[in-house]
Amino acid sequence: MNNPCLSITEYKRKIFATKEYLREKDISGCGLFGVIHRHKKTLPGNVAIDAIAVQHDRGNGLGGGFAAYGIYPELADKYALHLMCDDQAALERAEDIIRKYFVIHLSEPIPVRKTLGVINPPVLWRFFVQVRIDRPAWVHLSENDYVVSVVMLVNKKVPGAYIFSSGKNMGAFKGVGFPEDIGEFFRLDEYKGYIWTAHNRFPTNTPGWWGGAHPFTLLDWSIVHNGEISSYGINKRYLCQHDYECTLMTDTEVVAYLLDLLIRKHGLSKKMASKVFAPPFWDEIERMDEEEKAAYTALRMVYGSALLNGPFAILYSDGKSLTGLNDRIKLRPLIVAEKDELVYMASEDCSIRSVCPDPDKLWAPKAGEPVIVEVEE
């Protein structure tokens, strides 16, 4: 049975044009939560759901979502493609392309349950795939670049269909609603993962629609974000030069693609990529020793178009680590806590304490200083 989601035009008309929404607009909103187990022991989805639910007032019901790693152990060598589609016809068009470029090992609807807080969902589907040996195109690309090319092709060329998650042994689950409702809708209490991130959205300058909810992902990368990326225009133009297509109409999308470009393709470390996003000010660079000064000057000159302007706090992961980062003057909150082998990151310490009442250590990172927690195999 088809159940199309509202179009972008309908969302703008129903939500952004209302006086009620404009009166409640709060640009400091959005809530983040993340947790990682250093030794990859899995945690139930309830941990992320309960923690982000504490930050209920940081959202307005127009977006919630989760990313989880380690949730598909029996299919860990397959790319898990999560799709949202306006209707069955859009899904079939997307499947035709996926079948052309991949070998499909499993095709099934994403399990959901009826939830009062989630209305009019799109068609949600997942494919577990491998790259074809006899590629019909992009034969000279690496496997990861090939997958990225197919994701960009579907998201740009297939009307009403989006691949919103494409990594291995991980997945994103997101939509319009409060995050606790989205967690219940996607039955995340039935999943277990060793890294979880969660987001409660309060959209300000972009529409509240299913594809625009956080997290944003590409391959194993996932990101949740609180704030505004005012450099979206130049970031988007820079990414277009490297064959990344921004189609989801939300500023945070550029960060997911920049992570893939800077770290996977250009080989920057996570720390250096974070310094591209939130670099030292020029007067700080002037006071550095010559070697450090030369390095940061080069970084700013080469990657000036990848700098993230505006207030932000972000959590991002690639399945090997969880990183938290503030903008360079810390205009958005970020708290980190440790307890044994677990590390938590969130917009508010009450969110952490709801699932970890007695942390061993709790602190607020400095502006522009990434907190990078690696898993130990």
Side-chain angles (χ1 to χ4, degrees):
M1 176 178 175
N2 296 343
N3 193 8
C5 60
L6 292 177
S7 68
I8 295 295
T9 303
E10 289 172 318
Y11 269 122
K12 286 181 178 179
R13 185 176 66 249
K14 289 177 178 291
I15 298 169
F16 281 82
T18 63
K19 293 181 180 179
E20 290 77 15
Y21 177 78
L22 293 174
R23 282 201 298 267
E24 295 175 4
K25 181 174 178 179
D26 180 359
I27 61 173
S28 67
C30 291
L32 310 179
F33 174 80
V35 60
I36 179 172
H37 195 288
R38 295 183 189 270
H39 292 145
K40 300 181 75 170
K41 292 184 180 179
T42 58
L43 307 169
N46 304 80
V47 172
I49 295 170
D50 293 345
I52 197 66
V54 175
Q55 299 183 54
H56 181 88
D57 290 343
R58 296 189 73 87
N60 62 357
L62 294 181
F66 302 80
Y69 293 81
I71 58 174
Y72 298 132
E74 296 179 358
L75 295 161
D77 62 333
K78 309 296 189 298
Y79 292 94
L81 306 182
H82 290 192
L83 277 76
M84 58 177 65
C85 304
D86 284 353
D87 50 36
Q88 191 66 30
L91 174 61
E92 290 171 0
R93 291 192 295 267
E95 183 175 357
D96 288 342
I97 293 178
I98 292 169
R99 195 171 296 279
K100 176 181 178 180
Y101 291 100
F102 295 109
V103 176
I104 298 176
H105 289 267
L106 179 62
S107 170
E108 63 182 9
I110 297 176
V112 297
R113 65 168 64 101
K114 290 185 178 180
T115 305
L116 290 176
V118 178
I119 58 173
N120 205 22
V123 175
L124 297 160
W125 205 268
R126 63 189 178 194
F127 299 92
F128 293 88
V129 304
Q130 285 182 311
V131 173
R132 283 188 173 278
I133 296 176
D134 54 334
R135 300 183 187 181
W138 304 304
V139 293
H140 300 299
L141 294 182
S142 69
E143 183 171 291
N144 281 331
D145 285 333
Y146 179 91
V147 174
V148 170
S149 296
V150 178
V151 171
M152 297 294 151
L153 177 65
V154 171
N155 289 358
K156 184 178 181 182
K157 297 294 187 180
V158 181
Y162 297 93
I163 298 175
F164 66 97
S165 185
S166 53
K168 288 184 175 181
N169 200 17
M170 62 83 65
F173 306 85
K174 64 181 187 177
V176 174
F178 284 103
E180 56 267 37
D181 296 326
I182 296 297
E184 180 184 1
F185 173 74
F186 279 109
R187 298 163 56 171
L188 295 187
D189 54 301
E190 299 173 9
Y191 293 79
K192 290 185 177 181
Y194 61 91
I195 299 174
W196 286 89
T197 59
H199 187 263
N200 187 13
R201 191 176 183 211
F202 199 126
T204 51
N205 298 323
T206 50
W209 73 295
W210 280 74
H214 301 214
F216 289 90
T217 75
L218 186 66
L219 297 174
D220 290 345
W221 297 108
S222 68
I223 175 172
V224 290
H225 162 228
N226 170 23
E228 298 184 29
I229 306 299
S230 57
S231 56
Y232 172 78
I234 192 169
N235 296 153
K236 180 180 178 180
R237 289 192 292 273
Y238 177 66
L239 286 165
C240 285
Q241 297 172 17
H242 296 275
D243 300 321
Y244 293 88
E245 299 284 349
C246 297
T247 56
L248 298 175
M249 291 165 279
T250 302
D251 54 0
T252 311
E253 183 183 19
V254 298
V255 188
Y257 302 161
L258 286 170
L259 287 168
D260 187 62
L261 175 65
L262 300 183
I263 299 176
R264 182 181 67 82
K265 297 188 73 172
H266 289 186
L268 271 64
S269 67
K270 295 182 180 75
K271 181 177 180 180
M272 293 310 291
S274 296
K275 291 300 182 180
V276 169
F277 294 155
F281 290 98
W282 283 114
D283 62 338
E284 295 177 58
I285 294 175
E286 284 296 319
R287 296 192 295 270
M288 295 175 178
D289 61 53
E290 289 304 314
E291 183 177 355
E292 194 175 21
K293 179 179 178 181
Y296 278 108
T297 299
L299 201 66
R300 288 210 60 175
M301 293 179 69
V302 172
Y303 291 112
S305 296
L307 181 150
L308 302 181
N309 271 331
F312 67 83
I314 61 176
L315 303 180
Y316 68 83
S317 180
D318 60 351
K320 302 174 184 176
S321 64
L322 177 64
T323 299
L325 177 68
N326 276 118
D327 63 80
R328 51 189 174 165
I329 53 176
K330 201 174 176 66
L331 292 171
R332 291 294 181 270
L334 184 63
I335 305 295
V336 182
E338 295 180 0
K339 180 67 174 181
D340 299 327
E341 300 303 318
L342 292 166
V343 180
Y344 302 86
M345 304 183 190
S347 299
E348 301 182 17
D349 62 348
C350 60
S351 186
I352 295 173
R353 292 183 185 277
S354 69
V355 292
C356 179
D358 186 26
D360 298 329
K361 181 181 179 182
L362 187 146
W363 76 99
K366 293 181 179 179
E369 289 296 325
V371 177
I372 304 169
V373 183
E374 304 278 353
V375 297
E376 301 172 16
E377 297 293 342

